[in-house]
Structure formats: C-alpha cells, structure tokens
C-alpha cells in the first residue's frame, strides 16, 4: 500500500477505506480513551486529525509523538464526529519515523512573528503561513510557463554568468577565481586577463540582452530564472537574488508589450484564485491585507494607463508630504508609486514614457527625444512589479545612447549586430516574481516569499 497525500485523502472517496499518510506532528492531545494528533504534510492548507484509540496498543509510539516529529500512520478515513474537521483517520498502526524533542523544537503552537520565523527559515515552511506562500509560489510558477507555452513562446535559458551590465546601474556581483591575498595587477590596476574568463565577469542582473538575440531569431521567447543585484537597499521589496520572468517579442511595439503584460497578469491572478483558494483565504484571515475576491476582480479589469508626465502632474497636485522631491526628470520613488496606485488610481496602473535619463540605454527613444518607450506596471502596496520597454532598433541612435550612458560598445558588438542584420521593432518586459508573490499573498516583506532571502548582510541557509 502506498503513501497518500493529505490533500488527496481528505475526500469522500476514501471514507471507510484504509489509507497510509505521512507527515509532521503539529500538536498532540490526550484524553482518557484516545490520543489525537494533528499532522500536516505540505500538500495542502488542511491538516489531518488522527485519532488513536488507547486499545490500539501504540502507547510506546504515542509517547514519542511530539510536536515536530515525523510519523507514518495507517488507519481508516472516517467522517469526524467532532467539530473542527470534516474527516479524520482512526489509526491502527503508527510509526514515529523521526523524533523531535519538544523542549528544543523552535516551532511552538503559539504564533511566532515573521521576523522570528526568518531566523529559522529551514523550519518555517512547516507553518501554515509559509506552506501557503510556497504553494502559491509553485502555482504561479507553473502558470507562468502555461501562459507562455500556450501562446507559442519558447522558454530560453540565458546565462547566469555574464560580462555585461544589462541595466547599466553598476549593481553587479563579481565572479572571480582570484586569490584575494594575491590579486594580479598591471600598471596598478587589477589584471583581469589573468582571471578565469580573461576579463571581468558578473552574476547577471537580467537575461534581457540575450533574450533579445533569441527573439530576433526565434520570434517570441521568455526567460524564467534567477537574477542578482548588488543594490545596497535594505527595503521590504528588494532582494539581492530574485527570480525574473522576461518575455521578449519580435515585431512588437510598446502597445503590444503592454497588452501582453496585462494579459499575463490577469491570467496569473485568475489561476491563483482558481487553484489556491484555501491558501489565499488563510492569508487574508491571518494578515488582513488582500482578499481572494480582490485578486479575482483583478483578473477581469483593464489596467489604467498614464504617462510619466501625467503621473508627475498628479503628484505635484497632491497635498502629500513626500520625502523625495517631485520634479520632472526624477525617478518615481516607492512613496510616489504608492500614491499613484493607492490614492489616484485605486488599482494597478501602467506608467509609460519615462525621461530617457532615468532609464536604461536599450529603451527606444520617443520622437520628443526626451522620453523613451518604457512602461512600468505598478500595483497597490507593492509598487513596481513589471519594468519593460520597446527596444531601440535603430543602430545609430542606439550607439549614440550607449556612448552617452557609458555602456561599452566594444563589449556589446554582438548586440549592435542585431541592429545591423535584419533589425525589427521588438519589445519585452521583466516581471519580478517575488514582487508578484508579495502582492498576491499580501506579505509586507519580500523576504517572506522566497525560501532563502538574500539581502545586504544576510546569507543564512
Ligand atoms: O525594472 P527592471 O530592472 O527591468 C529589467 O531588468 C529589464 N531588463 C526587464 C526587461 O525589460 N526584460 O526589473 C524588472 C522587475 C522589476 O519591475 C521588479 O519587479 C523586479 O524586476 N526587481 C526586483 N525584485 C526584487 N528585488 C530587487 N532588487 C529587484 N529589482 C528589480
Ligand atoms: Mg524598473
């Protein structure tokens, strides 16, 4: 007989049938005639109640059934006569697989703070909160692939180690095999010709540049992989290692790009409400941040579009006391983004046509020569979840922008080749996966939606 998952066992189909389930004990309670265990196995938000009659002769095992221990239970599923759960298993055999010392087990029945749980990231997936978050993450990851695969996009694998700085922001982690005690130097500067790759190498900040060459041969592609930013910002929405989804489409302009981003988000909102009902409800009850209904509504609405210039005008009109100055030409800070989403629009919004000086070199210059064909998708509470643009497909203009922004033309000759040989209008965007999960789960801190958060000064686990 095979082990069943709790998510599958809890159904009328198994009533009266013998089942085997395995899991970890949340609690144990004993009465005169019975011992009761609550166990979970990560397959569902639900826990399973196991009732062990004392005559079952398991007393030695019951002694070892402490919170945190792992168990294998064989018994019959039945409707529970008591309140609190619909089904329960009446155990015939119980085996403690791995014991747990209740005096030392860090997860106690009383609620723990999210900060404390971050210190035990290796055990927090056993809690209701993190079980819910990681199951939601899984459903969303699968939905990402389904969305693009259904539309004929190829999943491409862009490199993790690269020699270019796609965003041009200099927030790069170096990759080197130099012996730090003895770094080779020539004319008083580091001699990278002696390093592993013969020149400076970094962890990628984005797979976009490579996705562009793949799109300009294969049509429509997307990446879904880890990206790294050595950005020294200790905020609730920045990670040093995060996952990004970057579609890139040939023969597409900014309008097509925005449409794709909207369709994509709507699809993800729909999938998650269909497949994670229990998880979303649990998180809403626990944290009172976002309801499954709100997310479900998002899957139907059209997003509001405004230009950067209109956003600046709205911010200027407001009576808010912003920490950062509001001036045409300055980047929107998260306080500004939140004002626009939460107070002006009251929902997700796409902001377009940002000043060229605050955006990356590859974005297509608009006819006004001051702004670029960029778009950011902002959502309430979180702010920017998508950044994208139409790409500059005109060789001379791109070269000029690279020169002005200090991007190495020598290093990116291959990128310019795409404009030399069969250039076409093309566009794409990047969705920050953790920002999406953060928005949908309502978690305040992005560190709580990824198993092992990496942030400045933090690399446990
Ligand atoms: O706006 P960004 O920097 O855009 C790019 O990287 C483009 N190459 C994307 C493209 O056009 N293919 O980053 C895209 C998204 C942001 O909107 C945000 O959601 C997320 O990535 N992001 C981060 N998420 C967590 N921690 C960080 N430090 C992040 N930086 C960006
Ligand atoms: Mg951005």
């Amino acid at each position: 007989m095979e082990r069943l998952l709790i998510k599958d066992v809890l159904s009328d189909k198994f009533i009266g049938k013998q089942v085997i389930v395995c899991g970890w004990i949340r609690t144990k309670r004993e009465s005169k005639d019975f011992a009761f265990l609550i166990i979970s196995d990560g397959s569902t938000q639900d826990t399973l109640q196991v009732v062990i009659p004392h005559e079952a002769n398991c007393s030695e095992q019951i002694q070892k059934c402490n919170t945190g221990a792992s168990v294998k239970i064989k018994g019959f599923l039945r409707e529970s006569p008591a309140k609190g759960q619909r089904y329960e298993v009446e155990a015939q055999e119980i085996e403690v697989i791995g014991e747990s010392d209740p005096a030392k087990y860090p997860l106690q029945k009383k609620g723990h703070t999210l900060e404390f749980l971050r210190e035990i990231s290796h055990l927090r997936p056993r809690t209701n909160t993190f079980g819910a978050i990681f199951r939601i993450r899984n459903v969303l990851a699968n939905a990402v692939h389904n969305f693009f695969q259904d539309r004929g996009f190829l999943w491409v694998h862009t490199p993790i180690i690269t020699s270019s700085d796609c965003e041009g922001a200099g927030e790069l982690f170096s990759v080197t095999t130099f012996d730090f005690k003895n770094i080779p130097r020539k004319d008083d500067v580091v001699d990278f010709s002696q390093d592993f790759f013969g020149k400076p190498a970094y962890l990628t900040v984005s797979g976009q540049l490579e996705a562009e060459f793949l799109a300009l041969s294969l049509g429509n592609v997307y990446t879904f992989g880890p990206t790294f930013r050595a950005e020294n910002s200790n905020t609730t929405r920045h990670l040093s290692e995060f996952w990004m989804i970057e579609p890139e489409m040939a023969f597409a302009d900014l309008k097509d790009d925005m449409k794709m981003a909207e369709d994509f988000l709507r699809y993800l909102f729909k999938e998650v409400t269909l497949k994670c009902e229990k998880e979303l409800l649990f998180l809403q009850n626990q944290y009172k941040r976002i309801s499954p209904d709100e997310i479900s509504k998002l899957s139907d609405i059209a997003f509001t579009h405004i230009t950067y210039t209109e956003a600046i005008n709205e911010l200027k009109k407001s009576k808010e006391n912003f920490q950062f100055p509001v001036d045409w030409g300055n980047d929107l800070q998260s306080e500004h983004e939140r004002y626009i989403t939460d107070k002006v629009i009251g929902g997700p919004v796409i902001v377009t046509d940002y000043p060229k000086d605050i955006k990356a070199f590859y974005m297509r210059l608009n006819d006004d020569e001051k702004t670029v064909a960029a778009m950011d998708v902002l959502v309430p509470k979180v702010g920017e979840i998508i950044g994208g643009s139409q790409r500059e497909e005109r060789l001379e203009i791109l070269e000029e922008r690279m020169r002005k922004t200090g991007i190495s033309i020598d290093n990116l000759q291959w990128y310019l080749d795409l404009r030399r040989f069969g250039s076409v209008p093309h566009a794409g965007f990047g969705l920050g996966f953790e920002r999406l999960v953060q928005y949908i789960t309502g978690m305040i801190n992005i560190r709580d939606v990824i198993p092992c958060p990496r942030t400045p000064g933090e690399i446990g686990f």
Side-chain angles (χ1 to χ4, degrees), residues 10 16 50 53-54 82 88 107 148 158 163 208 218 220 234 279 307 310-311 321 335 352 364-365 391 399 413 437 460:
L10 296 176
V50 179
H54 280 319
E88 62 188 20
L107 286 174
F148 288 116
T158 50
S163 60
Q208 179 195 318
L218 302 168
N220 291 339
N234 229 320
E279 283 77 6
T307 64
E310 287 164 347
N321 237 338
E335 56 173 354
T352 61
R364 190 178 197 278
L365 191 64
R391 319 306 188 190
E399 277 180 331
Q413 278 304 325
V437 180

Side-chain angles (χ1 to χ4, degrees), residues 355-372:
K356 66 174 194 285
D357 292 338
I358 55 170
K359 287 291 185 189
F361 72 95
Y362 51 71
M363 297 191 181
R364 190 178 197 278
L365 191 64
N366 284 331
D367 291 344
D368 63 11
E369 297 193 3
K370 285 194 220 128
T371 59
V372 285

Side-chain angles (χ1 to χ4, degrees), residues 166-167 171 205-209 211 223 227-229 231 233 237-248 257 359-360 362-363 376-377 384-389 391 427-436 438 446:
C166 172
E167 296 306 306
E171 295 161 342
V205 295
S206 157
Q208 179 195 318
L209 301 186
T223 70
T227 47
F228 308 86
R229 303 225 175 154
E231 204 172 347
S233 33
R237 37 176 237 158
H238 286 91
L239 291 165
S240 314
E241 175 180 301
F242 63 97
W243 287 65
M244 188 154 48
I245 298 117
E246 295 185 275
E248 193 67 34
D257 204 31
K359 287 291 185 189
Y362 51 71
M363 297 191 181
D376 278 3
V377 180
E384 176 190 341
I385 61 168
I386 282 183
S389 66
R391 319 306 188 190
F429 61 83
L431 168 67
F433 192 52
E434 285 73 21
R435 297 253 178 107
L436 171 80
Q438 197 184 355
I446 198 166

Side-chain angles (χ1 to χ4, degrees), residues 1 18-20 72-76 89-94:
M1 218 173 129
Q18 196 177 43
V19 296
I20 292 179
K72 181 175 177 185
I73 311 278
K74 191 177 191 180
F76 286 94
V89 165
E90 185 180 336
Q92 302 161 288
E93 288 171 29
I94 158 163

Side-chain angles (χ1 to χ4, degrees), residues 55-100:
E55 77 259 23
N57 268 336
C58 307
S59 57
E60 205 183 298
Q61 292 291 310
I62 293 172
Q63 284 303 309
K64 296 190 211 158
C65 281
N66 294 311
T67 301
S70 51
V71 285
K72 181 175 177 185
I73 311 278
K74 191 177 191 180
F76 286 94
L77 189 81
R78 64 181 194 195
E79 264 181 79
S80 178
K83 268 207 208 134
Q85 62 281 316
R86 185 143 165 230
Y87 306 101
E88 62 188 20
V89 165
E90 185 180 336
Q92 302 161 288
E93 288 171 29
I94 158 163
E95 179 193 341
V96 173
I97 299 172
E99 289 186 51
S100 167

